[in-house]
Amino acid sequence: MNILLLGSGGREHALAWKMKQSSKLTKLFIAPGNAGTAEVGENVDINPNDFEAVKAFILSNSINMVVVGPEEPLVRGVKDFILNDPQIAHVPVIGPGKEGAKLEGSKEFAKAFMMRHNIPTAGYLSVTDSNLEEGIAFLKTLKAPYVLKADGLAAGKGVLILDDLAEAESELKQMLSGKFGSASSTVVIEEFLSGIELSVFVLTDGHGYVVLPEAKDYKRIGEGDTGLNTGGMGAISPVPFADDVFMKKVHERIVKPTIEGLAKDNIPYKGFVFIGLMSVEGEPQVIEYNVRMGDPETEVVIPRLKSDLVDLFEAVAAGELRKKTIEIDERSATTVMCVSGGYPEAYEKGKEITGIENIKEGLVFHAGTTRKEGKVITAGGRVIALTAYGSNKDEALKQSFNNAQAINYEGKYFRSDIGFDL
Ligand code: AMP
Ligand code: GLY
């Protein structure tokens, strides 16, 4: 089977690395990929949001399956585009269509979905210009801190958590007047949930599903979870507090009603569901849905999956996932992300990366890297993820940190406290 994987981050390198191990794979292409994916497949210079270019590539390279890494092509409707084109409609896509992708693309849609299907989540009100007064009145009923979310995709920046009521009111107005463009013309005001976060990953064909290992990521740039939000600075799987009792609650109260809810709402869904949860005194509540795998969570979740990923994707495409069970590596996996100096604010690219060849234990997943004149150079804020296994998280983390130290480039930074709160 020839597979085209869309995306270019650490998540895509991990997915590509795993698919490469399958005996069912003939050729793997990654669009556009990075210096790491080039070692497990062939990078092709196509923008995943350029659907006509994707189509031309599918036709000229006899692609049998498209796997979508990031959310943007999904929210823009790459699945519907392929499905509605008679020349390529036969090519299965791993990733939901436009309607399913609203679980991530519209916070309001996701909240209404959870309410409709009795899935535990924070109380909320959806606000536009037309009910601003109601929004302000709702804010006054809440206790600080106040959570404001732009309805649409805002490159991970659309969530504000504010301590002061007057500031929350003022930010609400600014959001509605275009602080995040059209993404914030609707704002979801939410109750603040206090607890510890966890990410749960489900692969589904819309009816059957498998629950992948859970993970915890570390979003803030600074040690001790301080400073600006990033795409993710590291991750750990399994998560010690997510014991059998907790995961049973997650399964029964959240995973099952989510998949059944999609079916009841007649939303076909073949792909990943990433459920961001908060454990509030041991009770799981949904913070958000994403319609893809997490990054850097994929860099710990996928290394713990022993089953053949291409075989699972085939079952998803055929609607036969019910027949599958998965095998999980009992070991811990951790990843530490090396980023560019300055990230998540302005940073420089093009720095030569050395030391990768010195890493003997563990896995190196490239994120923002590219190859130029025979050298691997930085090409993004998050540069490279160092994944390691261990019999427990501390053992794995020790190796991840050692490997992060072995990588060199100007301005390198990584958090040396991943896992500190567990
Ligand atoms: P999101 O973009 O929805 O993932 O939100 C970004 C981050 O904001 C989450 O990872 C949480 O840490 C935090 N967050 C979002 N919603 C809430 C909430 N209702 N209560 C507490 N924290 C929240
Ligand atoms: N690491 C969080 C995300 O992928 O959204």
Side-chain angles (χ1 to χ4, degrees):
M1 173 149 64
N2 295 333
I3 298 182
L4 173 63
L5 170 65
L6 304 182
S8 62
R11 165 183 51 215
E12 285 74 23
H13 189 185
L15 290 171
W17 166 83
K18 181 71 185 168
M19 288 193 281
K20 175 75 180 171
Q21 294 164 28
S22 172
S23 59
K24 297 191 165 193
L25 184 79
T26 312
K27 270 183 140 181
L28 177 62
F29 300 93
I30 309 94
N34 59 38
T37 61
E39 283 164 25
V40 283
E42 189 180 326
N43 287 350
V44 291
D45 190 15
I46 290 175
N47 176 343
N49 296 312
D50 182 349
F51 300 165
E52 288 295 344
V54 169
K55 174 185 171 182
F57 192 83
I58 290 173
L59 288 172
S60 59
N61 291 276
S62 311
I63 296 297
N64 307 108
M65 177 182 281
V66 176
V67 178
V68 186
E71 64 278 13
E72 200 182 335
L74 294 168
V75 172
R76 286 172 178 245
V78 69
K79 168 93 161 215
D80 314 70
F81 174 89
I82 291 174
L83 209 61
N84 292 327
D85 188 316
Q87 279 183 288
I88 50 173
H90 61 282
V91 179
V93 177
I94 303 301
K98 225 174 178 164
E99 190 64 16
K102 282 191 191 159
L103 282 182
E104 177 164 2
S106 166
K107 303 267 186 207
E108 183 184 30
F109 177 91
K111 290 301 257 188
F113 177 89
M114 288 184 254
M115 291 292 152
R116 196 157 61 241
H117 300 294
N118 290 314
I119 295 166
T121 187
Y124 80 107
L125 181 76
S126 185
V127 182
T128 62
D129 274 335
S130 65
N131 66 340
L132 174 61
E133 289 312 314
E134 195 191 348
I136 290 174
F138 182 67
L139 272 177
K140 287 180 181 157
T141 68
L142 300 175
K143 282 197 233 83
Y146 304 93
V147 182
L148 303 179
K149 299 185 171 181
D151 177 57
L153 290 186
K157 296 191 169 68
V159 176
L160 300 183
I161 298 182
L162 306 157
D163 286 324
D164 181 69
L165 180 62
E167 198 188 352
E169 278 190 41
S170 146
E171 285 289 353
L172 172 63
K173 288 176 190 158
Q174 286 177 46
M175 286 172 87
L176 292 173
S177 17
K179 179 169 180 151
F180 300 105
S182 61
S184 63
S185 55
T186 298
V187 174
V188 169
I189 304 176
E190 245 181 53
E191 228 171 15
F192 181 81
L193 298 175
S194 182
I196 183 157
E197 287 185 62
L198 176 74
S199 305
V200 171
F201 302 92
V202 182
L203 178 65
T204 183
D205 59 15
H207 301 279
Y209 58 91
V210 293
V211 181
L212 300 170
E214 78 284 355
K216 184 170 194 313
D217 84 334
Y218 291 80
K219 289 203 178 83
R220 302 294 194 95
I221 188 74
E223 312 250 308
D225 283 343
T226 54
L228 294 173
N229 254 322
T230 70
M233 297 295 292
I236 290 185
S237 177
V239 182
F241 76 82
D243 56 15
D244 288 348
V245 174
F246 183 79
M247 289 310 288
K248 191 160 179 263
K249 291 179 191 170
V250 171
H251 192 207
E252 282 168 10
R253 299 178 194 170
I254 296 169
V255 175
K256 205 160 166 273
T258 296
I259 305 305
E260 287 174 358
L262 288 166
K264 278 186 198 150
D265 291 350
N266 288 314
I267 301 174
Y269 198 111
K270 292 186 174 194
F272 293 104
V273 187
F274 162 170
I275 306 170
L277 295 176
M278 188 77 84
S279 167
V280 182
E281 286 163 8
E283 306 301 323
Q285 301 230 33
V286 178
I287 291 185
E288 63 167 349
Y289 288 112
N290 295 305
V291 298
R292 51 171 172 88
M293 286 297 290
D295 196 351
E297 291 95 325
T298 307
E299 291 94 302
V300 294
V301 171
I302 289 297
R304 292 191 61 222
L305 176 68
K306 285 183 167 172
S307 314
D308 182 329
L309 187 58
V310 175
D311 182 57
L312 289 172
F313 285 162
E314 263 188 340
V316 168
E320 292 182 346
L321 200 56
R322 275 213 175 98
K323 296 182 189 160
K324 297 284 174 185
T325 52
I326 56 170
E327 229 193 309
I328 301 300
D329 192 325
E330 290 302 319
R331 288 177 296 171
S332 284
T334 59
T335 201
V336 170
M337 187 67 81
C338 288
V339 303
S340 297
Y343 173 81
E345 298 188 278
Y347 57 85
E348 286 178 40
K349 299 182 192 177
K351 310 291 182 194
E352 183 181 355
I353 305 169
T354 59
I356 297 173
E357 65 287 355
N358 298 332
I359 294 172
K360 305 284 180 239
E361 271 306 295
L363 303 163
V364 178
F365 293 123
H366 291 233
T369 72
T370 190
R371 209 169 250 287
K372 196 177 167 193
E373 291 155 10
K375 293 176 180 161
V376 178
I377 61 171
T378 66
R382 292 192 292 170
V383 174
I384 218 160
L386 291 315
T387 295
Y389 294 103
S391 57
N392 55 46
K393 71 172 170 46
D394 298 314
E395 202 181 294
L397 277 167
K398 194 167 168 226
Q399 189 66 48
S400 284
F401 291 134
N402 279 343
N403 293 354
Q405 242 133 22
I407 297 279
N408 303 299
Y409 57 86
E410 194 189 314
K412 179 189 77 172
Y413 168 75
F414 64 90
R415 266 182 68 172
S416 57
D417 71 338
I418 300 302
F420 78 98
D421 55 340
L422 295 175

